[in-house]
Structure formats: C-alpha cells, structure tokens
C-alpha cells in the first residue's frame, strides 16, 4: 500500500512538473455536470485560440435556462465584467484567464434550483486592417445539483482495481514462498540422504574408496 501511494504521489508530482512546462498549452476540457448543494461550482468553459486569433478581442456571454424555460443572460465579459440581475445575483464569480482562452465562471453557494442548462458563448473579433471577421463558439453544460456528494465512479473503479492488485500480489507472494520452501526442503532432504548413505558405508569400504596416490 505504501509503495502504491508513493507511486501515485510520484506520478502526481511528475504531472505537476509537466503542467508547469506546458502551461502555454490549451486543452478544451469539458466541465463537470454535477454540483453539491451549498458548495461552489466552477462552470468550465475553455475555447482555445488559433494562431490568427491571438490579436482578436473576446466577448463572453453566459446564459441560464431552467427546465422548461428560456435562456436568460446571467453574466457577460466585454472588456469588463458585468453580472445581470437574476437568481444568481451576488453568487457569480469570474474565473477566466488573462489570455481569454479560459472564460469560466463559478457559482457560489449552489442551490437545488440552480439545476439547468448553462450556455457559454464566445465571440472573437479579428483586428485586421482591411476587415474585422468574427469567430463564435458555444459550450453547453447540463448541470444537476444534488443534496449530497455521491462517490465518483472513477474513484470506485480505481479503488476496486487497487484491491484486486493487492490480492493478486499477495497470492503471488504466497505462491513464491511455498515454492521456495519446497525447493529448500527438497535440497535439505537430498543433503540428508547423501549424508546417510555416506555414513552407512563400512569403514573398510571407506578406506578402499580413498583415492590411490601414484608414486
């Protein structure tokens, strides 16, 4: 168990180091879709820039749609942050990055009524001299709020695999111990048999068995 924990810690440390070297790399990771009542929930929205989009200006719009309802604006970033009056008033926090590739927001003190569909719209306007084309993209997050946190399925699978590995290693160790014990026992029995056979030889035969010396 200790060795496995050390391996996990070493892998995590390597991952952190790798992430530090690769901090400029953008990966469009999907957002989590389950929140716990009373906790904070980060609505992850990442839109990686292409090479030509580096000099573009970015506008971000967040919408919320309850079940059976319509989209309503709740947050906007247009050079400055703006929170629209809604059920989320005072509970939204900007978590976007400086390069405007990560345009996420966090919902503070999540309630059961916060379940629904969140839409993240990103609009980038290219700053070319001749024309100013637009690039748009959207991310949908189907959020479900639960009263208590359930055990993550991935962690359950990992825990099961860890126990299976421990059982396998334990059985393998027992088999190796039994094999080595039998091997040592057979070697000791063979040595005892050889010693018994030697002791059973009469003394005169022992003298006859001596190696003759050539003159």
């Amino acid at each position: 168990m200790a060795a496995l924990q050390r391996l996990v810690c070493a892998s995590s440390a390597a991952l952190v180091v790798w992430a530090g070297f690769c901090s400029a790399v953008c990966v469009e990771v999907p957002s989590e879709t389950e929140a716990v009542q009373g906790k904070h929930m980060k609505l992850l929205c990442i839109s990686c820039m292409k090479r030509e989009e580096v000099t573009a200006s970015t506008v971000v719009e967040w919408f919320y749609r309850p079940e059976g309802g319509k989209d309503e604006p709740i947050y906007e970033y247009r050079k400055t942050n703006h929170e629209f009056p809604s059920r989320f008033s005072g509970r939204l926090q900007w978590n976007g990055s400086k390069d405007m590739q990560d345009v996420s927001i966090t919902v503070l003190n999540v309630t059961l009524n916060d379940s629904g569909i969140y839409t993240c719209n990103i609009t980038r306007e290219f700053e070319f001299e001749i024309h100013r084309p637009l690039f748009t993209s959207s991310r949908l997050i189907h959020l479900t709020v639960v009263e208590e946190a359930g055990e993550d399925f991935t962690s359950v699978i990992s825990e099961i695999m860890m126990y299976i590995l421990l059982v396998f290693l334990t059985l393998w160790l027992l088999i190796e111990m039994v094999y080595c014990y039998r091997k040592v026992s057979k070697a000791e029995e063979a040595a005892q048999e050889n010693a018994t056979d030697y002791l059973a030889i009469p003394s005169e035969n022992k003298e006859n068995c001596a190696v003759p010396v050539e003159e």
Side-chain angles (χ1 to χ4, degrees), residues 57-61 63 75-82 84 94 100 121 123 125 134:
S57 59
T58 304
V59 175
V60 182
E61 297 172 309
F63 296 87
Y75 203 89
E76 180 183 75
Y77 182 92
R78 194 185 298 266
K79 293 185 178 179
T80 58
N81 302 329
H82 175 66
F84 292 95
W94 175 256
M100 296 303 294
N121 291 336
T123 303
E125 183 178 3
L134 298 176

Side-chain angles (χ1 to χ4, degrees), residues 26 30 70 73 96 99 102 104 108 113 116 133 144 153 165 178 185 190 208:
C26 177
K70 297 181 180 179
D99 59 6
D102 184 352
S104 307
L108 306 177
N113 293 329
T144 302
F153 179 75
L165 179 61
V178 172
S185 298
N208 297 333

Side-chain angles (χ1 to χ4, degrees), residues 150-163:
E151 196 167 5
D152 185 32
F153 179 75
T154 303
S155 63
V156 173
I157 295 298
S158 301
E159 188 174 355
I160 293 175
M161 293 300 295
M162 181 184 67
Y163 283 117

